[in-house]
Amino acid sequence: MPLLDAATIAKLAGVKVRARAVMEGVLSGLHKSPHQGQSVEFSEHKEYAPGDELRHLDWKAYAKFDRFYVKRFEHETDLRAVLVVDASGSMGYRSAALSKLEVATTLAGALSYLLVRQQDAAGLSVLSGGRFADVPPRAAAGHLMTLLSTLEAVVPAGPTNLPAAADHLAEGLPRRAMVVLFSDLFDETPDALRRILQLRSRKHDVAVFQILDPAELEFPFDDPTLFLSMEDERRLEVNAREIRESYLEELGAFLAQTRALCAEMDVDYQLVRTDDSLDAALLQFLAKRQGRRR
Amino acid sequence: MTFVHPWLLLGALGALLPLLVHLFDRRRPKPRPFAAIAFVLRSHRRTASRLRLKRLLLYTLRTLLLLAVPVALARPQLVRPGAAALRASGPAATALVVDRSLSMRFRDGDTLFEKAREEARDALAGLLPEEPVTLVPCGPDVEVPAAPSFERARLRETLDTLQPSYGGADLNRCLALAARALEDNPLPGKRLVVVSAFTAVSLQLDVPAPRVKVADKLVQPEVVLRDVARGRALPNHFLLDVKAEAAPQLGPRMVEVTFTVRNVSPGEAQEVPAALELGGRPVAKAFLALAPGSTTQKTLSARAEAGGAVTGSITLQPDALGEDDRRDFVVQVPRDLRVLVVDGAPNAVRYRDEAFFYEAALSAPGSPARPTLRDAEAAGREKLSDYDVVALLNVPAPSSEAAARLKAFVEAGGGLLLSMGDQVEADSWNQRLAALLPRPLRLVKSAGATGETALRPARLGDVAWEHPLFLPFTDKAREGLLAARFSRYMLVEAGQHAGDSAEVLAAFDDGAPALLLARRGKGRVLLFTSTVDRDWSDFAIRTSFLPLVQRSAAYLSGGLEERERVEGHIGQTLVLRPETAGAVAEVRAPSGGKVPLRPDADGGLRVGPFLEPGIYRALDAAGAPALPPFAVVLDAAQSDLTRVKPEALAAYFGEEAVKGPAGASQAKAPFWTWLLVAAALVFFLEGTLLRTP
C-alpha cells in the first residue's frame, strides 16, 4: 500500500525534507508490516524475555518505548554502505512530477536516514559530468546532514559511465561494503552493468535501483517528433507511432536482460517508476533483502 | 473507353495530393529531449526499411483511391472489341433481335426477359449517333421489321412494353428477317445484335447463318451475341404431357389423369410434389423423384363432382420456369344417359327378342347408358321427360297421341332412334310420325338372306366417316362395320325435294340410305333402316354394333360432341364446330381477353392464335357457354432449355464475325461500379496498412 505518492513527495522542497518524509513513511510501514523489525542490515529487536542477556538490552529503545528490547547486532557491527547516485544527463528526464534524478536522490536520502538511524556507516558517491563527488561512509549522526546536503546539490550532467563508476568504487572500497546504485542504467558501453555488478565478486553487497520515467516505459508519443539525446548530440526525427512497438520490444528486452544479469550476479534489483510511491518502493526493496537474509 | 461525364475526370488531379503533401508539407516536428534515445535509434534502425515500404504503399494506395473515385464518377464505359472494330471501319446499320420465347420467362432473380430488356437498352445506348437501328422482337408471331431508322425513343418505348411470350422463338427466321431489314439501309456496315438465352430449340445450327445482301453480294454481318443467361445452364423440369380420360371402370364419374414429367436439369430433384385439381378443387397429390435427364410418368385418379366437360390441371412444384409446371385440361366425364327402349317385338327367347342386342350393347360395362326396357303398350305410360333418348325398335305406328308426345319430346331436346322390322308399316308410320321421320318410308327391300347365293346381301357402302358417330371407326374397326350384311331394309323417299333436312350418314352399297339423321327442334332423330336384331341383318353380332349403339345413344342425347378432345397449342389456331352457325359469339382467354375468331373454309370457326395457356371458353351472344371449354397448352419442346454452347455459336456465326463471344464479353460490365468497389478495397487496405505497426 503506497504511503506517500510521488506527486505528494514532489511538493516537498529539497532532498532533506523528501528523504525524511520517505523515511518516516518507511518506518510507519515497518510498524505495520508483518516483517516488523527488519531493515537494511537490520539487526532485529526482540522483546525481552527471561533468560536473555541483560547486556544486550537496548537502553535507547527502552528510553523511547518504555519497554525492554534485546538487540541483535551481529550483522550490523561493521556495515559500511555506499550509495551511488548516477547524475548523468539522462537522469534529468522527467515526464511526471519528479525527474529520475530527484527520485534517485530522494531514495538515497531516505536510505541514508535509515542507515544513520541504525548507527550504520553511510557514504555517498555521485557521478555527474564524468566526475565523482564522494562522501566517505560514517555512522555519526551529524554525517547525515553532509550526505543530504551533497545529494541536494546534485545536478544532472554528462554521460552515463557505469564502468568508470565501477572502477572508482573498486578502488575506494577496500573493505567489504554494501553498494546501492541509483541509475537508469542507460549506458551503451558493452558490459557496463556487468562491470559494476562485478563488485559482487569482491564480496561487496550490491543492490540496484533502476529508475525509469513512465514515458520511457510506455512511449506514449504519437506525432512526428524530433528526439534529442540528453547526454550527447544524437537526434532523430521520426513518427513516434510508427516505431512505438519496436521501441517497447527493445526496452523490454533491455529490462529483461538487466533483471537476468542481476539475478545471475545475485544482486538485488528494484525497478522504480518515477510516478511510483517511493516509500512503497523502498519498503519492497527492504522486504526483498530481508527475504534474502532468511 | 468512353466517359459519360468526362468533365468529372478533372477530379483525378486530386491523385496528386499525396505527392504534393509529401513534397511540401514540411511541418516542424516537435523537439523532445529523451533519455532513452538509444532505444529509439535502435528501433528506427530496425524498422526503417519496412516503414519506407509501408509509406510507399500508402502513397500508392492513396493516389489510386483519389484517382479511382473521380474516374468512376465519370462513368467510364468499356467499348467492346466488336464495337471498337466496327467503329474503326465506320458506323453500321444495326438490327436488334430480342428473344421473346418461353425460355425468357426463366427466373434467376429477375426473369431473363428483364435482363434481355436491359441488355437491349444497353445495346441501344452503345450505338454511335450515326448508326440506324431496328428492333426485331422474336416470338411465336414475328412481324417483318421496319428498316433501320434513328427513332431510338420509339424503340425504347417498344422495348418497355415488350413482354415475353408463352411460345417458342425461331431465331433463325428472326435473324433472316433482321438481315433483310438491314439491306434496306445504304450504310455498308451491317450488324446483328442478338439478345437471347440461346436455347438449342430456338436456334437451329443446321441452317445457313444470316447473310446480308450489299451491292448484289451476300456478306456476313457482324454479329454481337448478348447472352442473358451469362453462360450458365438453365435447369428445368416440366410437364411433357397430360392425358385425362374418363375412367368408368373405376367407378361413376371417375377420371384418370396420366402425366409425364421431364427433368432437363443436371441435378436430381427429390420429392417434387404434383397436385391434381378437378373443377377448381385439389383432389389428389403425388411426389416424384426426377433423375437428371429422366422422364417420369405418373397416373392419378379422382372422382369428378359432376358429369360433362370438367376442367382440371396438374401442377408441379414451380421451379425457375414455373409456367411449364402447370398444364390445364378438359376431360369429358360421361353423364348418365337414360334410354327408354321400346321393344316392338318381344320374345320369350331372349336372343330372339327385338331389343336383346340393343339393350345388351347399352348395358355393357363402362357404358354411361341406363336402358329401361318397355313394350309398346307400357311405353305409352312412361313419362318421356324422364329420359334422354327414346329408341323405338320395330314398333307399330304409335297412336296420334303418343306421336304427339314423341314430337314434343324431341323438339324439347330429346333423342329418338327409330329402327325397322316386321312390325313397321310404312304408311301408318308416315302418317303418325311424319313430323319426326327424316324421310318418309316407302317399302321393305329384300337383298338376300345370309348364305343365299341368288340374292347378295347388302353391305354398307358410303359412310360419313368424319361424322362424330363414326369417328372411332378407323382401319380394322371400319372394316368391321363395312363387313355387316343386311338381307332386308326399309327404303325411304328420295330427298331431292325442297325442305329435306335429313342427312344420310350411311348408305348401303346400292345407294339406299341405311342411317339418316334429322334435327327436329332441339332434338335429333336417327332412322336406322334395318333391324337391331338378327332378323334382317347380322349387324347385331358384329363388333362394330356395340360402339355404334353406344355412340348413337350419346349422340342423340347431345353428349357426343362433348367427348371430342379439343386442345389448342400456344401460337396456333383451332377450328371449333358449333352445332349451329352463329352459336359462338366470342372466345375468352384465361386472362379474360377476347381471342380472334374467323369463319373457316369448311364451315367451322377458326379461333386463335392462342397467346397464353389455360382454359378457354366459347360463349354465345348472351355470355352463356356455347361449347364445352377447351385447354390450350404450351409446346413442351420449348421447355427444354438446353443451351447452345458458345463455341458452337461462334462457329455458326463465323469466328471472325462474332464480336462478343457468348458468355464472356456478354457479361455486362459496368466498369465504373468495379472502380468504386476497387476504391473501397483500396480504402480498406489503406486503413489496415495505416493501423499496421
Side-chain angles (χ1 to χ4, degrees):
Chain A
M1 175 182 148
L3 303 171
L4 288 169
D5 59 29
T8 309
I9 293 290
K11 289 175 188 167
L12 305 176
V15 176
K16 290 175 188 166
V17 183
R18 285 185 198 145
R20 185 174 183 82
V22 171
M23 184 273 294
E24 285 175 353
V26 169
L27 282 181
S28 163
L30 282 178
H31 288 294
K32 292 172 186 171
S33 167
H35 305 291
Q36 190 173 7
Q38 298 165 1
S39 66
V40 183
E41 198 50 44
F42 201 71
S43 45
E44 51 189 319
H45 280 102
K46 173 184 172 295
E47 200 163 359
Y48 173 78
D52 287 341
E53 288 195 40
L54 289 177
R55 65 190 177 103
H56 289 159
L57 274 176
D58 188 342
W59 295 108
K60 285 183 182 172
Y62 171 71
K64 195 169 185 178
F65 301 112
D66 199 21
R67 282 190 176 190
F68 294 112
Y69 288 95
V70 179
K71 189 178 180 186
R72 289 187 179 162
F73 52 93
E74 51 270 23
H75 295 296
E76 66 158 330
T77 48
D78 57 349
L79 176 65
R80 290 158 56 85
V82 178
L83 309 177
V84 182
V85 175
D86 172 14
S88 63
S90 65
M91 289 293 284
Y93 183 71
R94 107 172 52 215
S95 71
L98 295 171
S99 72
K100 293 192 284 186
L101 185 60
E102 286 169 338
V103 169
T105 54
T106 303
L107 286 174
L111 209 50
S112 303
Y113 260 114
L114 288 173
L115 288 166
V116 173
R117 187 175 167 277
Q118 292 173 181
Q119 300 175 345
D120 291 327
L124 185 66
S125 182
V126 178
L127 170 59
S128 175
R131 292 164 53 184
F132 294 94
D134 294 329
V135 179
R138 283 196 193 136
H143 184 60
L144 181 62
M145 291 314 293
T146 311
L147 293 173
L148 294 175
S149 301
T150 307
L151 285 171
E152 203 153 44
V154 169
V155 288
T160 310
N161 196 344
L162 294 180
D167 294 343
H168 177 74
L169 289 171
E171 289 170 11
L173 292 174
R175 291 175 53 201
R176 179 173 176 267
M178 179 183 179
V179 176
V180 184
L181 173 64
F182 299 89
S183 170
D184 54 12
L185 305 181
F186 288 166
D187 190 331
E188 291 183 68
T189 314
D191 290 337
L193 181 61
R194 183 178 288 277
R195 290 276 300 279
I196 204 162
L197 297 187
Q198 276 171 348
L199 291 171
R200 186 86 181 87
S201 60
R202 295 184 173 220
K203 305 291 184 191
H204 297 300
D205 191 359
V206 180
V208 173
F209 280 86
Q210 185 172 18
I211 300 161
L212 293 178
D213 190 273
E216 291 169 338
L217 288 164
E218 293 162 5
F219 205 67
F221 314 116
D222 275 333
D223 302 326
T225 308
L226 177 62
F227 288 102
L228 304 171
S229 171
M230 299 178 73
E231 296 182 353
D232 50 30
E233 299 303 316
R234 289 177 299 172
R235 58 174 55 208
L236 176 68
E237 182 184 334
V238 71
N239 189 332
R241 189 177 50 224
E242 290 177 344
I243 63 162
R244 182 168 184 271
E245 192 169 327
S246 171
Y247 169 89
L248 293 176
E249 281 175 15
E250 290 284 344
L251 184 72
F254 167 69
L255 293 177
Q257 189 184 1
T258 304
R259 272 197 197 91
L261 189 59
C262 289
E264 179 192 331
M265 305 295 282
D266 193 23
V267 166
D268 286 331
Y269 169 83
Q270 178 77 24
L271 175 65
V272 180
R273 288 168 59 110
T274 57
D275 56 350
D276 277 348
S277 167
L278 299 186
D279 46 358
L282 205 51
L283 267 175
Q284 194 179 349
F285 171 72
L286 296 176
K288 210 185 294 177
R289 284 194 66 82
Q290 182 60 32
R292 280 164 54 87
R293 198 159 303 286
R294 286 181 177 175
Chain B
M1 184 186 292
T2 59
F3 294 90
V4 178
H5 310 298
W7 52 274
L8 282 177
L9 286 175
L10 287 174
L13 291 174
L16 295 172
L17 279 176
L19 182 66
L20 295 175
V21 168
H22 174 67
L23 291 176
F24 299 108
D25 180 30
R26 308 309 297 173
R27 280 181 304 170
R28 283 185 178 280
K30 190 177 174 185
R32 182 184 295 279
F34 193 59
I37 192 166
F39 300 102
V40 175
L41 289 166
R42 223 175 292 163
S43 306
H44 183 249
R45 273 198 297 274
R46 236 178 70 181
T47 56
S49 56
R50 183 164 57 82
L51 288 176
R52 261 199 303 277
L53 179 63
K54 177 181 167 182
R55 211 165 291 135
L56 186 66
L57 279 173
L58 277 175
Y59 284 138
T60 309
L61 288 175
R62 285 167 184 165
T63 304
L64 285 175
L65 181 65
L66 292 171
L67 193 62
V69 172
V71 171
L73 292 178
R75 299 279 296 273
Q77 290 180 330
L78 289 177
V79 178
R80 290 183 171 77
L86 188 84
R87 284 170 190 183
S89 61
T94 303
L96 188 55
V97 181
V98 180
D99 189 349
R100 288 180 57 231
S101 68
L102 175 70
S103 62
M104 303 298 277
R105 290 180 176 269
F106 187 92
R107 192 166 282 279
D108 181 14
D110 287 335
T111 61
L112 291 186
F113 191 77
E114 284 303 318
K115 293 175 181 174
R117 205 196 302 273
E118 286 301 314
E119 287 283 352
R121 285 192 191 119
D122 189 52
L124 275 180
L127 294 176
L128 293 174
E130 60 271 29
E131 289 179 330
V133 59
T134 185
L135 180 66
V136 187
C138 190
D141 48 340
V142 192
E143 293 175 3
V144 176
S149 68
F150 293 97
E151 295 176 298
R152 295 191 188 173
R154 188 179 55 79
L155 289 188
R156 281 194 192 92
E157 285 173 14
T158 309
L159 264 179
D160 290 343
T161 56
L162 219 51
Q163 292 298 327
S165 73
Y166 287 95
D170 184 350
L171 275 179
N172 300 83
R173 180 155 180 265
C174 296
L175 287 170
L177 289 173
R180 212 170 303 152
L182 291 180
E183 291 171 1
D184 296 339
N185 191 277
L187 278 178
K190 310 290 182 189
R191 182 194 301 137
L192 290 171
V193 180
V194 191
V195 186
S196 170
F198 298 105
T199 56
V201 71
S202 63
L203 182 64
Q204 305 297 314
L205 301 182
D206 51 1
V207 298
R211 295 285 184 273
V212 182
K213 192 184 280 183
V214 179
D216 292 335
K217 279 174 67 181
L218 281 177
V219 298
Q220 192 176 34
E222 179 203 2
V223 181
V224 179
L225 304 179
R226 287 176 172 252
D227 176 12
V228 289
R230 309 281 190 262
R232 291 195 292 272
L234 305 175
N236 189 32
H237 61 250
F238 58 94
L239 282 161
L240 186 64
D241 186 39
V242 174
K243 193 173 286 178
E245 291 177 328
Q249 69 277 14
L250 300 179
R253 299 192 308 283
M254 285 298 285
V255 174
E256 196 172 66
V257 182
T258 302
F259 58 96
T260 311
V261 181
R262 184 161 173 71
N263 180 20
V264 289
S265 311
E268 187 177 10
Q270 288 285 355
E271 299 290 314
V272 176
L276 167 64
E277 281 187 8
L278 277 181
R281 63 190 176 97
V283 289
K285 205 167 198 178
F287 291 91
L288 309 173
L290 305 174
S294 71
T295 302
T296 307
Q297 198 170 65
K298 190 90 182 172
T299 300
L300 293 173
S301 55
R303 187 186 306 277
E305 285 190 323
V310 175
T311 60
S313 68
I314 288 285
T315 309
L316 300 177
Q317 184 184 43
D319 57 5
L321 184 61
E323 285 76 4
D324 59 7
D325 296 325
R326 175 191 170 104
R327 191 174 276 218
D328 293 285
F329 59 82
V330 177
V331 60
Q332 296 301 328
V333 181
R335 305 170 194 220
D336 288 343
L337 190 61
R338 297 157 300 173
V339 182
L340 175 63
V341 180
V342 184
D343 189 346
N347 196 308
V349 181
R350 286 283 290 145
Y351 66 89
R352 285 187 182 166
D353 190 287
E354 183 71 31
F356 172 71
F357 293 100
Y358 187 80
E359 187 197 10
L362 286 181
S363 307
S367 168
R370 302 283 173 269
T372 304
L373 187 62
R374 296 285 184 270
D375 60 21
E377 191 183 337
R381 294 191 291 271
E382 288 292 323
K383 191 179 173 187
L384 296 184
S385 58
D386 290 343
Y387 297 94
D388 299 303
V389 174
V390 174
L392 301 180
L393 309 181
N394 188 20
V395 297
S399 63
S400 300
E401 183 193 352
R405 285 175 59 208
L406 273 175
K407 182 171 178 279
F409 166 72
V410 172
E411 285 178 346
L416 177 64
L417 173 73
L418 304 170
S419 73
M420 301 294 101
D422 297 333
Q423 302 294 322
V424 175
E425 193 186 336
D427 290 340
S428 55
W429 267 56
N430 287 341
Q431 188 184 352
R432 303 276 171 75
L433 295 173
L436 293 173
L437 280 171
R439 284 183 193 169
L441 307 180
R442 270 201 313 147
L443 52 91
V444 176
K445 179 181 178 182
S446 294
T450 307
E452 286 181 1
T453 53
L455 290 172
R456 191 178 60 83
R459 295 170 190 264
L460 292 177
D462 190 12
V463 180
W465 300 113
E466 73 283 357
H467 192 273
L469 261 183
F470 297 107
L471 280 180
F473 293 93
T474 55
D475 302 331
K476 287 190 175 177
R478 194 173 283 189
E479 288 173 16
L481 185 65
L482 295 176
R485 287 176 292 186
F486 299 87
S487 57
R488 300 179 74 187
Y489 47 88
M490 180 71 74
L491 295 177
V492 297
E493 296 288 348
Q496 280 83 8
H497 61 89
D500 176 38
S501 60
E503 188 180 350
V504 179
L505 300 182
F508 296 111
D509 47 8
D510 63 354
L515 187 65
L516 294 104
L517 167 68
R519 299 175 198 280
R520 298 288 182 259
K522 291 182 181 176
R524 294 167 179 168
V525 179
L526 268 180
L527 172 62
F528 183 50
T529 58
S530 192
T531 58
V532 291
D533 64 355
R534 297 189 62 192
D535 287 354
W536 290 9
S537 81
D538 65 354
F539 181 45
I541 59 170
R542 295 283 174 180
T543 52
S544 50
F545 181 75
L546 184 143
L548 191 61
V549 166
Q550 287 191 356
R551 287 184 71 80
S552 62
Y555 179 71
L556 286 171
S557 71
L560 198 56
E561 290 88 340
E562 296 175 2
R563 295 195 184 186
E564 303 312 315
R565 182 178 175 181
V566 179
E567 191 173 86
H569 288 84
I570 293 293
Q572 296 181 2
T573 60
L574 196 66
V575 176
L576 300 179
R577 300 189 186 283
E579 191 83 5
T580 54
V584 175
E586 61 180 25
V587 173
R588 292 276 180 181
S591 60
K594 281 187 182 178
V595 185
L597 276 176
R598 62 181 184 280
D600 200 44
D602 63 355
L605 199 56
R606 188 164 289 277
V607 54
F610 303 112
L611 301 179
E612 56 181 308
I615 301 293
Y616 285 67
R617 296 176 196 282
L619 307 174
D620 61 16
L627 283 175
F630 60 94
V632 170
V633 299
L634 299 174
D635 179 6
Q638 298 299 326
S639 296
D640 186 348
L641 305 184
T642 308
R643 287 158 43 76
V644 182
K645 292 181 177 166
E647 53 268 29
L649 281 176
Y652 175 68
F653 288 108
E655 303 277 357
E656 68 283 359
V658 176
K659 297 301 185 185
S665 72
Q666 300 318 311
K668 197 177 171 185
F671 182 56
W672 60 275
T673 57
W674 290 110
L675 269 178
L676 281 182
V677 171
L681 186 65
V682 165
F683 184 68
F684 172 75
L685 283 176
E686 196 261 358
T688 307
L689 196 59
L690 207 58
R691 281 190 293 274
T692 305

